[in-house]
Amino acid sequence: MNILVVGGAGYIGSHMVQMLLENGDEVTIFDNLSTGFKESVTGGNFIEGDLSNTNELNTLFENSQFDCVMHFAAFSQVGESVLHPGLYYKNNFCNTLNLLDSMVKHDVNNIIFSSTAALFGNPEYTPIDEKHPCNPINPYGQSKLMIEQALADYEQAYGIQYISLRYFNAAGASIDGSIGERHTPETHLIPLALQTATGKREHIKVFGSDYDTPDGTCIRDYIHVLDLCEAHYLALQHLIKNGESNIFNLGNKEGYSVLQVIHAAEQVTQRNIPAITTSRRAGDPTTLIADSEKITTLLGWTPKHSSIHTIMEHAWQWEQKLAPSS
Ligand code: UFG
């Protein structure tokens, strides 16, 4: 198949590119390298371009007939979205409309969209299934929800078929350690904990210890990046067979608190990770745990690397590669 991976130089996109190439698909990567890295792209046809530029998009679609678009390009930091909401609405919402309009213009009908658990807000019940109401408490979640709504409208108006995959907390790295999570600056819990283990950081901050959870810190459902990519692959096969549009939650149905994650990092690295409790970070929901039964039932997805220790081991292998001197 001929697949366009938008944002294929980013964390999750680059793992997807690697999986598609391993499966023998033809892959074009479109990425503006604002948060991604060219070195993370392990093959395929790389095109540096920006979703805000409709000329670049038109050229992209004129030069190749894609069977499906996978859209990973977005800003994804909850805290940053609270501070700079305009960035999130422009990049995540407006630029995705440009992509959808180009697809319509060039008769490309299949898209797999990277959505997020952040669109649920503070859950009314856990684990969170797809029927749970969407009440985002930060602009990041809101921007992704607006795209889910646009996708439904584009389906009705133009026949675009879509699968929206709502990731809970993506983590881990490729099994061979060739690619992994990399953000500049890094804001995510697991890489920060591991960077503290390598000595790159003196300590990790725990954002709030007064949440309504057993140890007072926020709980998240960490899901291996390769399991997320596997879900995309199943979604791709579904869409190619003219399967219906749908929305799925992707997680392990198991939550870990910030302190539990830091403890797991200490166990895997066999190093001490000093932690300092600070105030809450704006926009953080207390607990996010996924119910992924729907995608298991309909597409046969089951996470293969679900243990926090496996996730941490792969992330640690990658982090050591990034910091070989420590
Ligand atoms: N945290 C800390 N200290 C840090 C960094 C994070 O205590 O230095 C805490 C956060 O407050 C949060 C938890 O660790 O409670 C996880 O934070 P991350 O920044 O790693 O991830 P988020 O839960 O904020 O967000 C991630 C993705 C989003 C996605 C969301 C879905 O970045 O894109 O998971 O659950 F929407």
Side-chain angles (χ1 to χ4, degrees), residues 151 155 160-164 238-239 242-248:
L151 284 169
E155 174 173 38
I160 293 269
Q161 294 293 111
Y162 67 92
I163 297 290
S164 183
H238 170 82
L239 285 179
N242 290 321
E244 285 177 7
S245 297
N246 221 327
I247 293 177
F248 299 110

Side-chain angles (χ1 to χ4, degrees), residues 97-138:
L97 294 188
N98 290 342
L99 176 64
L100 291 174
D101 287 337
S102 292
M103 287 174 62
V104 170
K105 190 169 169 187
H106 296 91
D107 209 19
V108 176
N109 295 320
N110 296 318
I111 181 164
I112 302 171
F113 174 61
S114 300
S115 189
T116 175
L119 52 67
F120 293 112
N122 274 315
E124 292 173 12
Y125 59 86
T126 53
I128 302 171
D129 59 15
E130 291 77 2
K131 294 192 189 103
H132 188 287
C134 295
N135 294 309
I137 60 167
N138 52 62

Side-chain angles (χ1 to χ4, degrees), residues 287-303:
T287 301
L288 290 171
I289 300 172
D291 180 336
S292 299
E293 279 304 310
K294 185 176 164 189
I295 189 167
T296 300
T297 307
L298 292 184
L299 300 190
W301 178 76
T302 28

Side-chain angles (χ1 to χ4, degrees), residues 75-79 115-119 140-141 167-170 181 187-192 204-208 211 217-222 258 262 280-281 284-286 288:
F75 293 145
S76 65
Q77 293 174 29
V78 168
S115 189
T116 175
L119 52 67
Y140 169 61
Y167 313 156
F168 282 60
N169 285 55
E181 184 164 14
T187 62
H188 291 95
L189 180 62
I190 291 180
L192 288 176
I204 180 150
K205 290 181 183 161
V206 175
F207 295 142
Y211 285 95
T217 65
C218 286
I219 293 176
R220 295 286 181 274
D221 184 342
Y222 295 87
V258 173
I262 295 171
R280 290 182 177 199
R281 188 176 67 177
D284 274 343
T286 305
L288 290 171

Side-chain angles (χ1 to χ4, degrees), residues 232-307:
H232 281 74
Y233 211 80
L234 293 169
L236 172 63
Q237 287 164 334
H238 170 82
L239 285 179
I240 295 300
K241 283 187 242 149
N242 290 321
E244 285 177 7
S245 297
N246 221 327
I247 293 177
F248 299 110
N249 292 354
L250 292 178
N252 280 313
K253 212 179 192 173
E254 204 167 351
Y256 291 89
S257 72
V258 173
L259 292 180
Q260 285 175 320
V261 169
I262 295 171
H263 184 58
E266 287 186 320
Q267 284 184 327
V268 165
T269 62
Q270 294 289 301
R271 298 186 191 184
N272 182 37
I273 300 178
I276 295 175
T277 301
T278 63
S279 53
R280 290 182 177 199
R281 188 176 67 177
D284 274 343
T286 305
T287 301
L288 290 171
I289 300 172
D291 180 336
S292 299
E293 279 304 310
K294 185 176 164 189
I295 189 167
T296 300
T297 307
L298 292 184
L299 300 190
W301 178 76
T302 28
K304 295 193 182 95
H305 313 282
S306 57
S307 108

